[in-house]
Amino acid sequence: MTDQRIYNFNAGPSALPEKVLRDIQSSFLNFNGCGMSVTEISHRSPEFDQVINDAVARAKRLLKLDDRFHVLFIQGGASLQFAMIPMNFLARGQSADYVNTGTWSTKAIKEAQIQKKEIRVIASSEDRDFCYIPKNIVVDPKSRFVHLTSNNTIKGTQFASFPDTGNVPIICDMSSDFFSRPLPMDKFAMIYGGAQKNLGPSGTAVVILRKDFLEAAAGTPENQELPSMLRYDNYAQKNSMYNTPACFGIYTIGLVLKWIEEDMGGLEGIEKYNQEKARLLYDFMDASDFYRPTADKDSRSLMNVTFRLPSEELEKQFIAQATQEGLGGLKGHRSVGGCRASIYNAVTLEGVKALIVFMEKFQKEAA
Ligand SMILES: Cc1ncc(COP(=O)(O)O)c(C=O)c1O
């Protein structure tokens, strides 16, 4: 077998930096000279302590976090966070505001409703099938938090900047644009995301949580009654090792963060790179009357570029032919159809250019 690779535009799990994959490969049998694989060592060992502490330190440096924040790794993906957030942070008599920008926000809202928590949906883009980011978001000043989804992976929309929410902190699902740009961390009580798009393998959520926000919630009687594995304070007190963590995932996330920090110029550098890739692709489509981006121009995602062709038949041919030519993962989400190129951090400029060359050729042949 060769290790010939294709250009990977999958939405998640998705492309990882080739350098990271090679690092994993070369040290897989003997991690740091300990004679064991990183998947074979104890999570209580000094070797793993170094792995997790390095990943935390890198996340903090990249986001310019001070000591006010915890960096946690929690199993169960972003979907478990949908449930844990209202469970931990909404005590009796407290309420939260949610903004609905698509499937993932809808799921977050549903998890709060299942628990009969008091929440309000203060803005939504459902009226136009989630093709835009709502403006004029007005938050109830008594709200405990406002929940946003920064990037809508399925419909290809993204908050270009975050709304002014006054004194109400934001909790944000950043599963599909985590660590792709610098963030105004003062606005957030918590940001979180499943790792499998920009950061590593699936199965781990990275949770960045403000300590005072956690402390205020951890004292409530409701919190004392939660199962141990569903309480953020347990993860915070035990450096994410209340139980055996997803060691391999955390190790890989650490390597991806190292790559962003040391090879890509940090979040400022990776943001420029991501902007350039997205600009090339959108400019190409805007100049064509064949490919039609589905999101409103001012709401377009730099991570998930969703588009349609003149017919479903042509879309089918486009996806099949692209796959044959080494451009994978271009099928839109099964709930919406169409096409989607996910151009996360690890997707190269070279890959985006190759995609544009293919798109030009396909258009000519279809004419
Ligand atoms: C924005 C967003 N939130 C949440 C999820 C769910 O993540 P997980 O599968 O880790 O639960 C996804 C998955 O694609 C997503 O794109």
Side-chain angles (χ1 to χ4, degrees), residues 304-337:
N304 307 100
V305 178
T306 48
F307 57 98
R308 306 294 314 224
L309 273 62
S311 71
E312 285 186 17
E313 188 45 45
L314 279 168
E315 287 169 351
K316 244 193 236 159
Q317 286 171 22
F318 174 83
I319 293 158
Q321 208 170 308
T323 310
Q324 270 176 7
E325 299 197 19
L327 301 151
L330 290 165
K331 195 166 188 289
H333 190 268
R334 62 187 183 284
S335 63
V336 293

Side-chain angles (χ1 to χ4, degrees), residues 23 122 165 247:
D23 262 10
I122 54 165
T165 57
C247 298

Side-chain angles (χ1 to χ4, degrees), residues 11-13 76-82 103-105 107 149-154 173-177 192-197 202-205 304 333 340 344:
S79 299
L80 183 62
Q81 296 307 305
F82 296 162
T103 307
W104 302 109
S105 320
K107 288 194 170 178
T149 311
S150 53
N151 185 74
N152 178 357
T153 325
I154 295 176
D173 174 6
M174 296 197 179
S175 293
S176 48
D177 64 356
Y192 68 97
Q196 65 270 20
K197 294 158 203 306
S202 59
T204 304
N304 307 100
H333 190 268
R340 169 174 57 176
Y344 300 125

Side-chain angles (χ1 to χ4, degrees), residues 197-214:
K197 294 158 203 306
N198 267 323
L199 282 183
S202 59
T204 304
V206 180
V207 173
I208 294 172
L209 176 56
R210 225 175 60 207
K211 289 179 181 171
D212 63 333
F213 190 78
L214 170 62

Side-chain angles (χ1 to χ4, degrees), residues 76-90:
S79 299
L80 183 62
Q81 296 307 305
F82 296 162
M84 279 178 71
I85 290 162
M87 195 179 283
N88 281 261
F89 300 132
L90 285 182

